[in-house]
Amino acid sequence: MENQEIRTISVIGAGQMGHQIAMLCALGGYETTLQDVQAGALEQAQTNLQSLMNKWVLKGKISEDLLDYAFSRLYFTTSLEEAAGKADLIIEAVVEKLEIKREVFSKLEEYASPHTIFATNSSTIVNSLLAPVTNRPERIVNMHFFFPPLVMDCVEVVKSANTSKHTAEAVMEVCKRMNRTAVLLNKEISGFVANRILGALQREALHLYEQGIADYKDIDIICRKALNHPIGPFELMDLSGIDVGYFVMEQRYKETGDPEDKPYACIEEKVKKGELGQKTGKGWYTYEKHGVK
């Protein structure tokens, strides 16, 4: 299959990553299907996208004609079989848990065409851990977008030892049509590049907090004022979702068995309380309609 033959893309999972990735695909000119098992999630995704993209039109970021064109190419379904059956490329964006991703990939293998490329948006789980439940290891790749995908101009494309050169090239071309900067990683490593660097910062911030060296708010202030970071590490955890970070730590600990990779107690406590950040109204900070409290 030549690169230009990728005409249809399906995104699996309509959460905070998936629905924006689907919009990027549609804006890139692809026939795009967004799938989720929950009809309510699809309705919320459609509402969020309409609101966000209308703001883009008002700000002059895109034309109303382009917006209408994109939405005319964007479809919503609860049927995994329907989404997989029509796609040249499938981008999985479900919860960051290996067993759930494997279950999804196994079902996709049943429904998808043999030529279809499978990509996972996982921020830490390498694609070779998902390939064994399929019959297409050469057509599987990581396609890691950053949150929020409609704003962040970077995609980490990660090859396993089995990923074909053609698969990587095809996915890189898709990123180009989405107007995203894609960076190819030729070897797998848990966390890839950005999250390994970011993870090191966050682990140190959590260590300093748990040791009582400084309050989380003060650590954020130091990172913003002294290091010129746009937001502090605790603010970023709230933005990305504390549960997402927890699942990443949990998965890496399962892989390595290294106590250094085990989720921090303060993170585990927040997940148990359901204090997951901006999406729940409370994480490290409390969120109201008009910002942080």
Side-chain angles (χ1 to χ4, degrees):
M1 183 178 71
E2 296 299 325
N3 292 351
Q4 62 267 26
E5 292 180 356
I6 291 184
R7 299 187 180 93
T8 57
I9 299 177
S10 288
V11 179
I12 311 304
Q16 62 179 1
M17 294 295 291
H19 74 286
Q20 291 201 16
I21 293 171
M23 192 75 238
L24 278 176
C25 296
L27 287 168
Y30 294 102
E31 292 283 339
T32 306
T33 299
L34 178 61
Q35 186 274 342
D36 199 286
V37 293
Q38 297 182 353
L42 293 172
E43 292 171 6
Q44 186 62 54
Q46 194 164 9
T47 299
N48 290 347
L49 289 174
Q50 287 281 2
S51 174
L52 179 58
M53 303 317 295
N54 285 338
K55 290 177 183 177
W56 277 27
V57 171
L58 290 174
K59 292 178 180 179
K61 288 186 174 183
I62 62 171
S63 68
E64 195 161 349
D65 286 344
L66 176 57
L67 178 59
D68 291 342
Y69 173 73
F71 272 114
S72 74
R73 304 176 75 82
L74 183 57
Y75 309 95
F76 301 84
T77 183
T78 57
S79 171
L80 187 65
E81 183 174 4
E82 178 187 348
K86 64 172 65 173
D88 299 319
L89 168 65
I90 298 174
I91 304 172
E92 166 271 312
V94 304
V95 67
E96 195 74 356
K97 290 188 175 182
L98 178 60
E99 60 272 20
I100 293 177
K101 290 182 184 294
R102 279 180 170 163
E103 183 180 351
V104 169
F105 269 59
S106 179
K107 290 179 180 177
L108 290 173
E109 181 64 33
E110 293 181 36
Y111 302 139
S113 168
H115 79 265
T116 303
I117 292 172
F118 291 180
T120 175
N121 178 54
S122 176
S123 59
T124 186
I125 297 171
V126 294
N127 66 81
S128 61
L129 293 177
L130 303 173
V133 301
T134 76
N135 295 315
R136 63 185 80 208
E138 75 286 353
R139 292 185 179 275
I140 298 183
V141 68
N142 283 81
M143 195 176 183
H144 176 220
F145 293 80
F146 292 85
F147 181 78
L150 281 166
V151 175
M152 299 297 287
D153 176 27
C154 190
V155 181
E156 289 177 318
V157 177
V158 188
K159 293 173 61 180
S160 73
N162 293 317
T163 305
S164 72
K165 179 181 177 182
H166 169 260
T167 294
E169 289 175 346
V171 169
M172 294 287 283
E173 178 62 25
V174 168
C175 293
K176 183 178 179 181
R177 282 188 57 181
M178 289 180 185
N179 197 29
R180 285 296 173 269
T181 300
V183 181
L184 181 63
L185 279 61
N186 289 304
K187 292 183 179 180
E188 291 183 319
I189 186 169
S190 179
F192 317 138
V193 173
N195 278 350
R196 290 186 73 86
I197 295 171
L198 179 61
L201 173 68
Q202 290 188 339
R203 283 194 300 274
E204 187 60 28
L206 288 164
H207 174 73
L208 292 168
Y209 169 73
E210 287 198 342
Q211 293 297 308
I213 305 299
D215 184 69
Y216 67 89
K217 291 181 181 178
D218 293 327
I219 294 171
D220 277 350
I221 289 171
I222 290 169
C223 287
R224 291 198 311 270
K225 300 295 185 178
L227 304 180
N228 203 28
H229 291 185
I231 61 175
F234 293 91
E235 292 170 305
L236 183 57
M237 289 180 223
D238 276 2
L239 176 64
S240 302
I242 292 173
D243 55 331
V244 175
Y246 174 77
F247 293 146
V248 167
M249 294 176 196
E250 191 177 43
Q251 175 60 35
R252 186 172 296 178
Y253 178 59
K254 286 179 181 178
E255 291 178 22
T256 67
D258 186 346
E260 293 290 326
D261 293 328
K262 192 173 183 180
Y264 280 79
C266 59
I267 294 293
E268 189 168 5
E269 181 182 355
K270 291 214 172 277
V271 171
K272 287 179 178 177
K273 287 182 178 180
E275 297 175 356
L276 308 181
Q278 289 187 15
K279 61 186 175 184
T280 60
K282 182 174 174 58
W284 290 104
Y285 298 87
T286 299
Y287 297 87
E288 297 178 341
K289 290 183 179 179
H290 300 294
V292 180
K293 182 178 178 181

